Amino acid sequence: MKLLPVTASGAQVAYLDVGATDGRARVYLGGLGLASTVSFAPVIGHPVLAGRGRHVLVDLLGSGWSDHDDDFSYTIDEHAAVVATVIEALGLHRTTLVGHSLGGSIAISLAAQRPDLVGELIVAEPNLDPGVGTLSAQIASFDEDDFVASGMHSIIDADDMTTGTRTLRRWSPRGLHRTAVSLLAERPMTFRAQLTAASMPKRYISGELSAENLDALRATGSDVRVVSNAAHLMMDDNLDGFVTLLADPL
């Protein structure tokens, strides 16, 4: 685990950087309430990907093993800017950016802000449209202070002790709330529109059991692939299938 200061107060982002340093690197971003270093660890350790290239797993600020910073805005675009800082600090260019759920939306924002850093874009069921998101809507239904005081505990207590619940506990309550609100918010250009406008090779991966309208997804110009027997948490539901589609060249 490595750390990089990314805010004025010195808050640090935690990331894993493993594998060969030659060739194009893959940068991984996890979902809301999750941690990239946990969600994608089985992915980069899978025989299809293990030992192939460089893998950088970034825990978003406020999540996983990264620091909390209540002065940080936690908007999607600011999360993307922080990830760009990590990529630049590592001297990487034209990365293969892989994002799941929230991480996919951040990846789309990053590709729009800094296309020079993204050679390929792979997103797995990102939030594409304003107001769409089950967990994010549940979180955003609270006032921020109420969520910090009791809302986060109510969400955690309503679940069993899955890996997702454990990583949820590691999130900054304010960071989680602000991120969820930003994920749902109206934007000058939606994530769907940004994905459509992105000029680099791009792939959209969906779970068979949670798939949207595939024709609408193809209309973004993405290579659309479906993981069989999988829902939104496709890395857990069908790891082999997810990794196969992830590793298939664009």
Side-chain angles (χ1 to χ4, degrees):
M1 187 77 69
K2 299 180 180 180
L3 299 170
L4 179 71
V6 291
T7 71
S9 64
Q12 298 181 101
V13 158
Y15 64 93
L16 288 175
D17 182 6
V18 299
T21 57
D22 57 334
R24 177 175 288 171
R26 291 174 179 262
V27 178
Y28 301 82
L29 307 174
L32 189 69
L34 303 175
S36 308
T37 52
V38 174
S39 295
F40 285 106
V43 172
I44 67 170
H46 191 280
V48 171
L49 288 177
R52 292 178 53 185
R54 185 175 185 178
H55 305 280
V56 180
L57 286 63
V58 183
D59 279 345
L60 302 172
L61 197 67
S63 78
W65 281 257
S66 290
D67 287 343
H68 298 180
D69 185 350
D70 286 352
D71 292 329
F72 186 67
S73 69
Y74 291 98
T75 66
I76 303 306
D77 292 340
E78 286 301 314
H79 276 303
V82 166
V83 177
T85 298
V86 176
I87 293 173
E88 288 187 304
L90 294 176
L92 302 177
H93 304 279
R94 295 184 57 78
T95 62
T96 296
L97 193 57
V98 181
H100 170 246
S101 196
L102 162 68
S105 302
I106 293 171
I108 292 169
S109 173
L110 176 53
Q113 292 183 49
R114 296 293 307 275
D116 56 307
L117 298 180
V118 185
E120 296 176 341
L121 179 61
I122 303 177
V123 294
E125 295 193 359
N127 297 63
L128 293 180
D129 303 305
V132 177
T134 303
L135 178 59
S136 49
Q138 185 181 4
I139 293 169
S141 67
F142 291 87
D143 169 82
E144 182 177 315
D145 288 336
D146 289 341
F147 183 75
V148 172
S150 61
M152 185 164 179
H153 294 292
S154 68
I155 292 174
I156 291 172
D157 291 343
D159 202 353
D160 56 16
M161 288 304 292
T162 62
T163 300
T165 308
R166 290 181 180 276
T167 55
L168 178 60
R169 289 179 183 275
R170 297 195 68 88
W171 270 78
S172 153
R174 291 196 185 279
L176 185 64
H177 187 272
R178 293 174 190 174
T179 299
V181 169
S182 178
L183 194 59
L184 295 170
E186 295 281 351
R187 299 168 55 85
M189 191 173 187
T190 66
F191 298 120
R192 186 181 296 272
Q194 287 182 320
L195 179 61
T196 302
S199 60
M200 68 283 296
K202 53 199 178 187
R203 173 170 295 156
Y204 187 106
I205 300 178
S206 179
E208 180 185 19
L209 306 179
S210 52
E212 291 188 43
N213 182 315
L214 298 185
D215 287 337
L217 296 173
R218 293 187 183 101
T220 66
S222 301
D223 171 30
V224 178
R225 303 294 185 91
V226 177
V227 183
S228 63
N229 300 314
H232 187 62
L233 294 177
M234 55 196 79
M235 299 92 82
D236 294 339
D237 295 339
N238 184 352
L239 179 62
D240 290 343
F242 177 75
V243 171
T244 297
L245 297 186
L246 189 64
D248 193 22
L250 280 91

